[in-house]
Amino acid sequence: MTKVELASGIYWVGAIDWNIRNFHGYTTPHGTSYNAYLIIDEKIALIDTVKAPFAQEMLDRIQEIVALKDIDYLISNHVEMDHSGSMPETMRHMTRALVVTTARGKEGLLRYHKIDWPFMVVKEGMELSLGRQKLQFVEAPMLHWPDNMLVYLKGQRILFSSDAFGQHIASSYRYADEVSGIIPEAAKYYANIVMPYASMVLKALEKLRDTKVDIIAPSHGLIWRKAQDTETIIGLYADWSQGKAKDKILIVYDSMWQSTEKMAKALLEGISREGVEVKLFNLSNSDRSDIIREVLDSKAILIGSPTLNRGLFPTVAGFLAYLKGLRPKAKLGTAFGSYGWSAGAVKAAYQEMKEAGIEVIESGLEIPYVPDEEELKKCIAFGEKIARDIKTRG
Ligand code: FEO
């Protein structure tokens, strides 16, 4: 195995999951990696482990560098099983190691693994000397679990950032500057995993405001090592967490007999006439995780649903339930759709959108059966009106 030394004495010893395509509901067409890091000093520390089926891959990488019995600390930044799943197997070999984690981390690890390892519980700001270098612990609760912790290696100025700043990408490369198209993947990751915890991101960024970071080593995907890349990803996390968006509107819909689809396309026409960027997604053949990435930098979302059994079409209901959990910040929106003899989808969509924290800016459009020429003109005018409104908002 090729050793990956990201700085003097600091090694990536994780595992690559080339074949995962669904990460608890988030689609991962490019796979992912579970990143663990080894720090060699007078004391030796392993930061996190990997998902259980990949334990041997990680252990093999470590043993090319050091004997497992010589490792002093296993630092657990995050309890979730993609990072702690290999701990029982790893700790079986690391006979002298202490498990270093937060109080919530210890609680979670005991709940998951039912093994009372020798623990060292650390708190915000505490430091651990490894000899020539010191680690500093930064608690980051709810980024995105209660136990999350970041670790900063002083001297070499490396931030081991747990799930923050990650991407789901499997690659034979280890660094962000070696792979193209990484920012859209980082955005998709943020939107689908981190977005509900935007305020926690801002808190963590504030804590790190005066900390010089040369390398960001996340728990998934590629490592940010170039100054311009670390600045870019930190800046993007700040923007996303504040809900910064551009003049862009998403139309997300489904259709039974193409009436709602005709409305969606007429809305798109109206928005385009105003020169505002617009993207359209039919939920029957679009990937939910990809749409959520598009939500991130959009100012408004238009939800289209035919009325089915007095309520929302199932795919639209599912999308709104997912969106509600992610709580996007500072979004505007409205709803539209067709119905037969009794409307209801638009009202139901409003309710869900409000619960997702979306500000409903216009009374939606509902059209019976099939929109005629005049009704499609109304849809175009409605699209133009929303686009003009969007342009006036900061
Ligand atoms: Fe990558 Fe929250 O686990």
Side-chain angles (χ1 to χ4, degrees), residues 199-393:
S199 60
M200 307 303 161
V201 173
L202 294 173
K203 270 189 194 160
L205 291 177
E206 180 57 27
K207 279 187 196 180
L208 294 166
R209 193 159 52 98
D210 299 322
T211 303
K212 296 267 182 274
V213 175
D214 290 342
I215 297 176
I216 299 176
S219 290
H220 294 287
L222 300 158
I223 297 162
W224 311 88
R225 66 174 170 181
K226 300 253 174 172
Q228 69 191 55
D229 290 342
T230 55
E231 277 168 28
T232 297
I233 194 64
I234 289 172
L236 285 170
Y237 262 59
D239 288 351
W240 294 333
S241 300
Q242 291 167 65
K244 284 192 184 166
K246 54 183 178 176
D247 288 351
K248 173 177 162 187
I249 299 175
L250 291 193
I251 301 173
V252 181
Y253 73 99
D254 209 334
S255 202
M256 281 168 75
W257 298 106
Q258 284 68 57
S259 293
T260 300
E261 183 156 73
K262 282 180 182 146
M263 295 175 72
K265 290 189 173 166
L267 286 164
L268 180 133
E269 170 63 23
I271 295 164
S272 301
R273 284 182 188 181
E274 285 295 325
V276 168
E277 182 181 353
V278 53
K279 288 194 175 180
L280 178 142
F281 296 94
N282 182 329
L283 285 162
S284 282
N285 45 35
S286 302
D287 182 276
R288 186 177 67 190
S289 312
D290 287 334
I291 300 173
I292 295 297
R293 174 181 54 201
E294 299 290 343
V295 168
L296 198 56
D297 66 352
S298 297
K299 270 193 195 164
I301 311 165
L302 311 186
I303 298 290
S305 175
T307 295
L308 177 68
N309 300 329
R310 294 187 292 176
L312 289 163
F313 201 65
T315 50
V316 181
F319 176 77
L320 287 170
Y322 189 59
L323 190 67
K324 210 160 59 172
L326 292 170
R327 300 195 296 280
K329 268 189 115 172
K331 302 297 173 200
L332 311 168
T334 190
F336 64 95
S338 67
Y339 63 95
W341 53 98
S342 170
V346 164
K347 190 175 165 203
Y350 280 169
Q351 186 59 34
E352 297 293 297
M353 291 170 85
K354 283 178 187 165
E355 286 179 22
I358 295 170
E359 181 190 342
V360 175
I361 49 170
E362 289 284 343
S363 292
L365 279 178
E366 283 189 295
I367 292 175
Y369 293 97
V370 178
D372 61 22
E373 209 169 308
E374 282 310 306
E375 286 165 331
L376 286 176
K377 280 183 188 162
K378 267 191 200 164
C379 292
I380 292 171
F382 190 69
E384 289 171 332
K385 185 166 183 277
I386 289 171
R388 283 196 297 272
D389 187 353
I390 292 303
K391 286 193 280 188
T392 63
R393 299 191 183 231

Side-chain angles (χ1 to χ4, degrees), residues 26-48:
Y26 168 135
T27 55
T28 49
H30 311 297
T32 192
S33 70
Y34 312 108
N35 296 339
Y37 299 94
L38 188 67
I39 304 174
I40 307 292
D41 201 325
E42 290 162 28
K43 298 280 186 183
I44 300 172
L46 173 65
I47 299 184
D48 285 317

Side-chain angles (χ1 to χ4, degrees), residues 25 65 96 197 252 261 340:
I65 302 162
R96 76 178 196 208
Y197 311 103
V252 181
E261 183 156 73

